[in-house]
Amino acid sequence: AFGPAQQLRPALRVVRCTLQDLDEGCTVEIKTADGPLRRFFDAVNDGVAGPLFPSAVRSFVFVFVQVPFKQLIVRLIPWWSSIRHLVFLGLVLYQLPPSPNELFRLKVKPGYRPGTKFAFTRSPRQVTFVLREKRHRRLQRQRNDLVCRMTVSPKQAAIGGNLSVPQLSGDDLRIELEPGEVTDGYEKVVEGHGMTIRGGTGKGNLRIQFRVRRLHFLT
């Protein structure tokens, strides 16, 4: 009822990776599953829900109008009038194109960005995985750079000193601030401590954006 599998649009799946995974590369194994709800969401999200209407009509006629031995079913199953809605829904969903039910292995290379797609041609339809980035507690990615926002006190900004900045590895990078170097809105760039550039051509920069804490005096 739905035509050959090659006419179906790709089933989209989201893969979430940490910044460290995108920086160092990793292998992700994903098991996709088939089922009534999965088929429904694929049909809606992938644009193949058009055949849902004729299938629904056929199922409605079968369940509510032309069920063979309807009187016998009602006698044997007293609660038929209650469960027939579930039967109707199940018939509709199971007539939708099946969803992929396989184990997929994705090779995420260093430097991949959110939005990168992995396409697999499988029966009954193509599967496309889209990379998404898990939010880091302290760091944000901007292309190949990493941005860290830090707040210092007016005293720290005035006298300078050593400052520990988090890295993706979990270690801290110690940088030295000159007296008076930091002002509100100041950005310090540390070269070579950002994200791996795709293709292994180097690393981006770490950009530390400062905010000087304001003192509030009681009057």
Side-chain angles (χ1 to χ4, degrees):
F2 290 89
Q6 60 268 22
Q7 295 181 0
L8 302 177
R9 295 186 182 181
L12 296 179
R13 299 292 185 270
V14 173
V15 181
R16 300 189 182 278
C17 294
T18 64
L19 276 176
Q20 187 173 2
D21 290 336
L22 297 177
D23 180 55
E24 300 175 355
C26 65
T27 299
V28 181
E29 291 188 350
I30 298 180
K31 178 68 170 68
T32 59
D34 187 19
L37 290 179
R38 187 70 266 176
R39 293 185 183 191
F40 174 76
F41 288 123
D42 279 342
V44 173
N45 295 333
D46 302 333
V48 294
L52 183 63
F53 180 73
S55 297
V57 172
R58 288 194 300 269
S59 300
F60 180 85
V61 171
F62 177 78
V63 174
F64 293 93
V65 181
Q66 296 178 344
V67 175
F69 311 108
K70 186 174 181 180
Q71 297 300 324
L72 178 62
I73 290 178
V74 171
R75 289 181 181 179
L76 295 177
I77 311 177
W79 57 87
W80 168 253
S81 59
S82 300
I83 68 170
R84 61 181 179 175
H85 298 89
L86 296 177
V87 175
F88 165 66
L89 180 60
L91 286 174
V92 172
L93 293 178
Y94 272 108
Q95 289 182 73
L96 291 172
S99 295
N101 186 20
E102 285 189 57
L103 178 66
F104 295 89
R105 184 173 286 105
L106 282 60
K107 181 66 176 178
V108 179
K109 296 183 179 180
Y112 273 11
R113 296 181 181 177
T116 301
K117 296 182 178 180
F118 300 81
F120 296 86
T121 302
R122 295 287 192 274
S123 178
R125 68 167 82 194
Q126 179 177 307
V127 187
T128 300
F129 294 93
V130 183
L131 276 186
R132 291 287 183 265
E133 179 184 292
K134 290 183 181 179
R135 185 175 181 179
H136 193 275
R137 188 170 60 91
R138 296 290 304 277
L139 299 170
Q140 286 184 324
R141 182 180 187 176
Q142 292 185 3
R143 299 181 65 84
N144 295 320
D145 293 343
L146 288 173
V147 176
C148 180
R149 294 179 173 86
M150 305 200 72
T151 301
V152 298
S153 66
K155 181 179 179 180
Q156 287 176 296
I159 67 175
N162 293 324
L163 187 67
S164 296
V165 182
Q167 298 186 96
L168 292 178
S169 62
D171 299 327
D172 288 338
L173 174 68
R174 296 188 65 83
I175 62 172
E176 184 175 351
L177 300 176
E178 299 293 333
E181 178 184 1
V182 174
T183 56
D184 195 42
Y186 171 71
E187 180 177 276
K188 185 177 182 68
V189 178
V190 183
E191 296 184 356
H193 285 273
M195 295 290 295
T196 299
I197 298 175
R198 185 170 178 175
T201 57
K203 287 179 120 1
N205 301 324
L206 173 63
R207 292 158 45 198
I208 309 169
Q209 298 177 349
F210 289 93
R211 185 177 74 87
V212 179
R213 188 183 302 115
R214 295 182 180 180
L215 296 178
H216 298 278
F217 298 96
L218 295 178
T219 57

